[in-house]
C-alpha cells in the first residue's frame, strides 16, 4: 500500500551561475513522498528536488510531475528499509530514482535533461 497526499506542487528555484553555461534550475516534488516499504521497515518519507539547466525541460517536468511522482512512489515502495537506512543504500536509491525519472521523461517527453536528483529530506522508519 502506498500513502501519498493528493496535491502536487512544483517550485522552480534558480540557483544562479554554477561556473558553466546557463543557470541551474531545481524542480521540487511537493508535497513529500511517503511510501510503505516492502520490508525491513514501515515507511519512507522524503523530499526530492531534480536539477536541470534547461528552462524548457523544467516546464516539461512540471507538466509531467504526476508521472514522475508515480514512478518515484513505485520505486520507494519496493525498498528494504534496512538497506536504505545506510549511506550506501541511500546513495544507491538516489541513483535508481534518477534513472527512473530519466526513463519516464524520455518515454513521455521524448528527452531527458535531468542533471541530478537530490534528497532534501530523508526519513525511514
Amino acid at each position: 500500500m502506498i500513502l501519498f497526499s493528493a496535491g502536487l506542487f512544483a517550485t522552480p528555484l534558480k540557483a544562479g551561475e554554477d561556473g558553466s553555461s546557463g543557470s541551474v534550475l531545481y524542480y521540487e516534488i511537493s508535497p513529500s513522498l511517503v511510501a510503505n516499504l516492502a520490508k525491513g521497515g514501515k515507511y519512507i518519507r522524503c523530499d526530492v528536488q531534480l536539477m536541470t539547466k534547461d528552462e524548457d525541460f523544467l516546464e516539461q517536468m512540471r507538466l509531467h510531475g504526476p508521472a514522475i511522482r508515480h514512478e518515484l512512489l513505485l520505486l520507494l515502495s519496493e525498498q528494504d528499509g534496512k538497506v536504505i537506512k545506510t549511506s550506501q543504500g541511500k546513495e544507491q536509491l538516489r541513483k535508481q530514482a534518477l534513472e527512473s525519472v530519466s526513463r519516464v521523461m524520455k518515454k513521455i517527453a521524448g528527452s531527458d535533461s535531468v542533471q541530478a536528483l537530490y534528497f532534501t529530506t530523508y526519513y525511514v522508519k
Side-chain angles (χ1 to χ4, degrees), residues 48-113:
V48 172
Q49 293 208 21
L50 304 171
M51 186 182 87
T52 186
K53 293 182 181 179
D54 182 340
E55 276 194 63
D56 292 332
F57 189 74
L58 180 65
E59 290 302 317
Q60 288 295 309
M61 286 193 294
R62 188 177 293 127
L63 175 65
H64 299 297
I68 293 170
R69 185 177 186 84
H70 171 78
E71 195 70 23
L72 290 173
L73 286 169
L74 289 178
L75 176 66
L76 293 173
S77 68
E78 297 171 349
Q79 301 306 306
D80 181 338
K82 290 179 183 175
V83 172
I84 63 173
K85 281 183 179 181
T86 68
S87 295
Q88 296 86 359
K90 181 179 178 181
E91 179 60 16
Q92 181 177 347
L93 178 58
R94 188 193 67 77
K95 289 177 182 177
Q96 289 175 332
L98 179 59
E99 290 171 9
S100 292
V101 171
S102 293
R103 187 172 48 251
V104 77
M105 289 306 294
K106 283 179 188 173
K107 181 178 179 183
I108 294 174
S111 67
D112 171 33
S113 292

